[in-house]
Amino acid sequence: MSDLLVRPAAPGDATAVLAFWRLAAEGTSISDDEAGVARLVERDPEALLLAYRDGDLVGSVIAGFDGWRCHLYRLAVHPDDRRQGVARTLLAAAERRFLALGGRRGDAMVLERNESAHPAWRAAGYRPEEQWRRWTKPLATP
């Protein structure tokens, strides 16, 4: 999509990103606060990718690489901009980042109940691996 600008988040983007996620993301995260977004941007300045159209935030994805695995989180597209290639453009940018860092496989966190997102992930070449389940443990209280 030539009308999209994709760029890494800057430290001052936290408030706008959180407001965008409340509107466009499915569910919330224990890290959905300004301190959490700021920590991410400080720790890995290239990980949180934002898509803009005409100056408006229309998409996001976190493309985290820990040196071993490539992790995708928080792929979100503004409801008015869905099915227009925003997710595809963000995932392509994330995959270029991973390849440049030596990554070999992208792992995406996709909610089972978020069935409207499944076609976008499949169209980008991702498939669920039924033998895996996510195990979590909160380390802090929200």
Side-chain angles (χ1 to χ4, degrees):
M1 300 218 64
S2 60
D3 65 332
L4 285 177
L5 168 69
V6 176
R7 67 163 177 83
D13 290 325
T15 301
V17 167
L18 290 166
F20 174 74
W21 283 344
R22 282 191 294 276
L23 173 70
E26 181 73 23
T28 58
S29 168
I30 194 169
S31 302
D32 282 1
D33 56 35
E34 291 205 23
V37 175
R39 237 183 338 274
L40 170 64
V41 172
E42 180 180 333
R43 162 96 177 46
D44 188 350
E46 305 287 317
L48 176 53
L49 300 174
L50 304 177
Y52 288 87
R53 177 180 285 139
D54 298 325
D56 295 323
L57 179 57
V58 296
S60 73
V61 69
I62 297 173
F65 182 63
D66 61 13
W68 185 263
R69 296 239 167 103
C70 307
H71 302 284
L72 294 160
Y73 312 91
R74 302 310 293 232
L75 177 63
V77 176
H78 190 284
D80 295 340
D81 293 275
R82 292 180 181 157
R83 302 194 54 78
Q84 296 177 36
V86 176
R88 181 176 55 248
T89 299
L90 281 165
L91 290 174
E95 291 166 4
R96 284 190 302 274
R97 169 179 158 72
F98 292 151
L99 288 169
L101 293 170
R104 299 180 187 181
R105 179 184 72 186
D107 291 334
M109 303 258 307
V110 183
L111 291 171
E112 293 271 338
R113 71 173 189 262
N114 190 3
E115 292 180 13
S116 64
H118 297 178
W121 285 103
R122 285 189 191 284
Y126 291 82
R127 301 288 180 266
E129 290 188 346
E130 296 301 326
Q131 72 272 25
W132 297 102
R133 289 292 176 258
R134 181 176 173 208
W135 293 35
T136 67
K137 174 185 175 184
L139 300 177
T141 57

